[in-house]
Amino acid sequence: MALKQNVEQALEPTIGVGGLPRAAFEAGLAGATSALRRLREDLETGRLALLQLPGSESDLAEIEAAAAGLKQGASDIVLLGTGGSSLGGQTLAQLADWNVPGLGRLAEGPRLHFMDNLDPITFARLLERLPLPDTRFVAISKSGGTGETLMQAMAVLSALDRAGLRGRAGELLLGLSEPRKPNGRNALRDLLEPEGVRFLEHHTGVGGRYSALTNVGLLPAAILGLDIRAIRSGAAEALAPIRAGASVNDTPAAVGAALAIAAALEQRGIHVMMAYADRLERLTRWWVQLWAESLGKDGRGSQPVAAIGPVDQHSQLQLYLAGPNDKVFTVVTTGVAGEGPAIDPELARRAGEPGFAGRHIGDLVAAQGRATADTLARNRRPVRRIEVDSLDARTMGELMMHFMLETILTGYGIGVDPFDQPAVEEGKILAKQYLAESRA
Amino acid sequence: MALKQNVEQALEPTIGVGGLPRAAFEAGLAGATSALRRLREDLETGRLALLQLPGSESDLAEIEAAAAGLKQGASDIVLLGTGGSSLGGQTLAQLADWNVPGLGRLAEGPRLHFMDNLDPITFARLLERLPLPDTRFVAISKSGGTGETLMQAMAVLSALDRAGLRGRAGELLLGLSEPRKPNGRNALRDLLEPEGVRFLEHHTGVGGRYSALTNVGLLPAAILGLDIRAIRSGAAEALAPIRAGASVNDTPAAVGAALAIAAALEQRGIHVMMAYADRLERLTRWWVQLWAESLGKDGRGSQPVAAIGPVDQHSQLQLYLAGPNDKVFTVVTTGVAGEGPAIDPELARRAGEPGFAGRHIGDLVAAQGRATADTLARNRRPVRRIEVDSLDARTMGELMMHFMLETILTGYGIGVDPFDQPAVEEGKILAKQYLAESRA
């Protein structure tokens, strides 16, 4: 296991009043024990399909073949899909420099465009600027009925039509959706199949925000040349203690859930994840959806907040240290000491920073990650530390599976269903009504 | 004034229990009245330099000249600077498609790289991949002492040295920092001036997170060809009611502050800004720093949360609607009805979405923004609406000045100094100590 977790600095006995009281953490561990028992049953009975993915490889060849097909002759590959249909793929793609701040535009390989938000100006400009004959589109929606994705897919077909490329739609587009239901309706298939577009099957038992380890997340990863087998085997490591029947204390995801359950008992309404690596920025955004949508129901759930270091020391740390003590923190670091450019001693001296001489940029970042966690704890803010030695496909798979397990266990522990999202239908219906009323 | 604000859906008389009680809002208005009086004194006495910027033009020619100089022969321009030295520029740059999700890699003009985070792997790869002879670097730090920016600048000098380009440092680099203090120390100037690097002067009276309207934010905007005069004149519109001595109710920033003060009185610890436009994504991040660092002190301040729509309907709305009712919401929309690709009626019918036929993508986005605000209000979550007709340099200047004024007024109203950030020094000192200890 690459992931190392330490919750000591979250607890009152270690950091004093302001930390989570021992009794609350004990109650959290008790809740996590029941939750873990239930999850182990999910695993043994096979009723939670997500748990069957880690370590399995039977579907990977198909994903790799689809990726190779899409890349052939492609300068650009556009992923249409919103929310959970996009964030898992983005998280993995960032390992290959996709959307790494400052570096993303210099990334190698085909340009990947995740169109997860619907914006009329962006989408119009995109269709104007893309070299359409060399662009491939992948439209992803589990149910096939996601309005944003449907509109985008329709606009793409019309753009291909105008460019005289509609006859090539079967070659330029790929769909990813569930098989047609018994009633025969799947809007995305109904739209695209008549154009000759092929479909990969969306796993019927793994929903949007948990889909990173299915073809939804692994297809973009494979396009960028990431080792999707390593992602799955990393995920298996996070699941291993549960598979082996380990105790709560020997199961990192369960200890994390115990902390979250304790935080809920203590009315801590905000959970901050601060990761010290550019390539974990999307992980924090992916986790925000995972946490918010899985746990925010029945008046429960905490507000997830994403931050990355060191930059957010300059933007949010003031609030974390001196604002209300109503948060719990997770600080994620990677083993970057010794990494990156080394500082010329003469230049360091000239700038009056002799401490920088001969040090690597990674040394400062490592020191800052540690200092931020310790400073939070010294100011009696509860902090959990998560460390991985280095960041690669395997550790990313482990991190993602860890947080999915922790979220499910927390949902079981606080008594909400971590798999549904009942509240958002009302807004969707109202939006369709407003759209109809706005007709001229 | 382009900005339209409506707070009715935040109040209990409109949306029922769960909204902010009338009495709390009245107290907020009273607090905002005193705060507004103080701000007007700041304006009249000239003691708050930020208030002198809107509408003024005397420094703009110098910024435009610097931008033109940097662009000459440049394929890439790298901005070194963290936190407030970067986010304002990013917010403006996004108007010119910089970092617009999915579209950013196809943006025109020189590639701008904002290196606001320090990451050793990113920075090493960046220096390897940049065409160094055609790259320009701008190093920004108000005090000149920001560790992250210094390390990056040192690494750049060493990279130029290795590439045989150090003799051109005066042409390839530009500094932006305060004038040297009486004691003669300014680490960034000490580092770069001996290389022949020229400096623009950082305004001594406008700190990092309020610097968007100074050369710090306007230089990147000018590089991308944005109309920086329009940005300043938009800012002047946000300030106009204060300059004219308007009442609290006729001053949008003061009404916004009244709402925030009322939220503080009601112990609402979370403030969500959800903007319905790709080009407002950085505005929400910039605002997170502005809000958190200005107000998070003395145990006060609320957690700012950034979201963009429609995508975050799929990631956070479940929590907002059905989680704890401990938030206030600001929904920002722009006039996008009728914008973007129109949907082919035949395709809409085929997908079983006849309501989409002939509609534009912007119609759906407009309907979604309105529906989200209304759905929040129907679920008795307090919502403020902000609308601008269209998004351009002028309206962006107005939005940014609006939120700066609102933040300052809120600080005055809740009794914290909105201009300092005293809590973060402890972590910086500890990081330097750990850096020293880590020496082999």
Side-chain angles (χ1 to χ4, degrees), chain B residues 314-381:
Chain B
H314 294 266
S315 74
Q316 296 199 51
L317 195 57
Q318 168 67 35
L319 171 67
Y320 298 162
L321 290 171
N325 195 348
D326 54 359
K327 307 172 185 71
V328 290
F329 297 89
T330 293
V331 173
V332 184
T333 54
T334 70
V336 290
E339 297 279 349
I343 299 303
D344 178 79
E346 167 56 28
L347 294 177
R349 255 192 306 278
R350 200 204 279 171
E353 292 284 1
F356 289 0
R359 315 306 291 146
H360 292 260
I361 284 181
D363 296 331
L364 181 59
V365 175
Q368 288 178 314
R370 206 178 132 208
T372 294
D374 287 351
T375 305
L376 286 164
R378 286 177 183 206
N379 286 273
R380 303 184 170 185
R381 268 61 184 168

Side-chain angles (χ1 to χ4, degrees), chain B residues 56-263:
Chain B
S56 76
E57 299 203 339
S58 56
D59 55 338
L60 299 186
E62 183 188 51
I63 295 169
E64 287 165 335
L70 284 165
K71 281 165 79 168
Q72 203 132 37
S75 64
D76 295 80
I77 300 177
V78 180
L79 283 297
L80 308 176
T82 191
S85 297
S86 185
L87 282 165
Q90 292 179 31
T91 301
L92 292 167
Q94 204 161 44
L95 267 186
D97 296 347
W98 173 82
N99 204 40
V100 168
L103 185 60
R105 282 184 76 181
L106 301 172
E108 286 160 4
R111 290 185 292 251
L112 236 62
H113 309 268
F114 288 91
M115 305 309 296
D116 62 349
N117 197 28
L118 189 70
D119 181 301
I121 295 163
T122 301
F123 211 70
R125 280 198 201 158
L126 182 78
L127 292 176
E128 281 161 29
R129 290 191 194 161
L130 282 170
L132 283 181
D134 303 323
T135 300
R136 310 290 177 262
F137 296 88
V138 184
I140 306 176
S141 166
K142 182 170 189 283
S143 68
T146 311
E148 290 90 339
T149 309
L150 285 170
M151 268 209 173
Q152 290 176 330
M154 292 176 201
V156 167
L157 285 179
S158 296
L160 293 179
D161 202 34
R162 283 192 301 275
L165 293 165
R166 185 133 169 210
R168 289 178 59 200
E171 168 203 346
L172 302 181
L173 275 75
L174 179 70
L176 206 170
S177 190
E178 285 179 339
R180 223 174 260 288
K181 292 237 166 65
N183 65 15
R185 281 290 312 280
N186 176 310
L188 193 63
R189 287 181 183 268
D190 293 347
L191 175 69
L192 294 180
E193 284 177 347
E195 308 283 337
V197 173
R198 282 187 327 112
F199 273 73
L200 291 179
E201 287 200 2
H202 195 297
H203 200 304
T204 54
V206 182
R209 62 186 179 271
Y210 291 100
S211 67
L213 298 174
T214 71
N215 51 15
V216 173
L218 296 183
L219 180 65
I223 289 170
L224 292 175
L226 292 170
D227 181 348
I228 62 177
R229 284 151 215 282
I231 295 167
R232 282 270 179 89
S233 77
E237 293 218 45
L239 190 62
I242 294 169
R243 194 180 288 283
S247 71
V248 164
N249 282 308
D250 291 328
T251 306
V255 173
L259 204 68
I261 297 165

Side-chain angles (χ1 to χ4, degrees), chain A residues 264-306:
Chain A
L265 291 171
E266 292 291 303
Q267 317 277 337
R268 300 231 163 204
I270 300 168
H271 195 138
V272 177
M273 186 186 297
M274 187 159 182
Y276 275 77
D278 280 342
R279 284 165 195 73
L280 292 176
E281 181 262 346
R282 285 291 127 174
L283 180 86
T284 67
R285 309 279 164 204
W286 165 83
W287 170 79
V288 163
Q289 160 159 37
L290 179 68
W291 192 260
E293 204 171 14
S294 300
L295 304 179
K297 49 199 74 161
D298 306 334
R300 296 186 196 156
S302 58
Q303 173 68 50
V305 173

Side-chain angles (χ1 to χ4, degrees), chain A residues 59-197:
Chain A
D59 55 339
L60 300 186
E62 183 188 49
I63 295 170
E64 287 164 335
L70 285 165
K71 281 164 78 168
Q72 201 132 36
S75 63
D76 295 80
I77 299 176
V78 180
L79 283 297
L80 309 176
T82 192
S85 295
S86 184
L87 282 165
Q90 293 180 30
T91 302
L92 292 167
Q94 204 162 43
L95 267 186
D97 295 348
W98 173 82
N99 204 41
V100 168
L103 186 61
R105 280 183 77 182
L106 300 172
E108 287 161 2
R111 289 185 293 252
L112 236 62
H113 310 267
F114 288 91
M115 305 310 296
D116 61 351
N117 197 28
L118 189 69
D119 181 301
I121 296 163
T122 302
F123 210 70
R125 281 199 199 157
L126 183 78
L127 292 176
E128 279 161 31
R129 291 192 193 159
L130 282 170
L132 283 180
D134 302 324
T135 301
R136 309 292 177 261
F137 296 88
V138 183
I140 306 175
S141 166
K142 181 171 189 285
S143 67
T146 311
E148 290 91 336
T149 308
L150 284 171
M151 269 211 173
Q152 290 176 330
M154 291 176 200
V156 167
L157 285 180
S158 295
L160 292 180
D161 202 34
R162 283 192 302 276
L165 293 165
R166 184 132 169 210
R168 287 178 60 200
E171 169 203 346
L172 302 181
L173 276 75
L174 179 69
L176 206 170
S177 190
E178 285 179 340
R180 225 175 259 287
K181 292 236 165 65
N183 65 14
R185 279 290 311 282
N186 176 309
L188 193 63
R189 288 182 182 266
D190 292 346
L191 175 70
L192 294 180
E193 284 177 348
E195 307 283 337
V197 174

Side-chain angles (χ1 to χ4, degrees), chain A residues 1 29-30 33 39 47 58 67-68 98 194 203 222 234 242 245 249 251 343 345 372 395 409 438:
Chain A
M1 190 171 307
L29 285 171
T33 303
L39 190 70
R47 73 178 162 225
S58 55
W98 173 82
H203 200 303
I242 295 168
N249 282 307
T251 306
I343 299 303
T372 293
T395 53
L409 289 167
S438 71

